[in-house]
Amino acid sequence: QVQLVESGGGLVQPGGSLRLSCAKSGTFFSRYAMGWYRQVPGKQRELVAAISSDSTTNYADSVKGRFNISRDNAKKTVYLQKNSLKPGDTAVYYCSTRIGTIDCWGQGTQVTVSS
């Protein structure tokens, strides 16, 4: 069973930075595309950033130029570096990947941007 474990959330002031990590259990990490999503109460979960197996990246318009997704295949970990954070970035952030036809999700990590 695949497990995704996020870490790195917390409270940060507007304009600050934070790095989220997501470690994936199992083998063949390098073969899988990975994504970061976020969700606020009452809204649908939205894609923030994704990285393919060949490290091609894409971002939501709202985070372009501020967030950077990367992967370390040796550590089986994907990162989300978040800079210039805004109160609107406050959400629970989830790591995700698709194994075959099954979407796998981590438990989520809370990020709160507030002064």
Side-chain angles (χ1 to χ4, degrees):
Q1 183 177 355
V2 171
Q3 285 190 319
L4 300 173
V5 180
E6 301 105 334
S7 61
L11 174 65
V12 62
Q13 292 188 341
S17 297
L18 210 58
R19 188 177 80 157
L20 305 182
S21 300
C22 172
K24 177 184 173 295
S25 66
T27 55
F28 308 122
F29 173 81
S30 63
R31 297 183 183 180
Y32 297 105
M34 303 293 296
W36 283 99
Y37 291 73
R38 66 186 180 188
Q39 188 170 26
V40 297
K43 292 190 175 181
Q44 285 191 332
R45 196 170 294 187
E46 65 171 354
L47 177 66
V48 175
I51 186 166
S52 69
S53 58
D54 66 0
S55 295
T56 299
T57 59
N58 67 79
Y59 298 91
D61 287 343
S62 60
V63 306
K64 280 180 181 176
R66 300 189 298 123
F67 289 11
N68 183 69
I69 188 171
S70 62
R71 64 191 299 157
D72 185 333
N73 290 334
K75 295 182 178 180
K76 297 190 288 185
T77 299
V78 62
Y79 303 98
L80 185 67
Q81 177 67 42
K82 300 152 46 140
N83 301 321
S84 303
L85 282 161
K86 305 174 181 180
D89 295 318
T90 295
V92 178
Y93 284 74
Y94 297 91
C95 175
S96 180
T97 190
R98 174 165 286 190
I99 309 296
T101 60
I102 299 173
D103 290 327
C104 302
W105 298 90
Q107 81 285 356
T109 185
Q110 176 71 46
V111 173
T112 302
V113 184
S114 175
S115 54

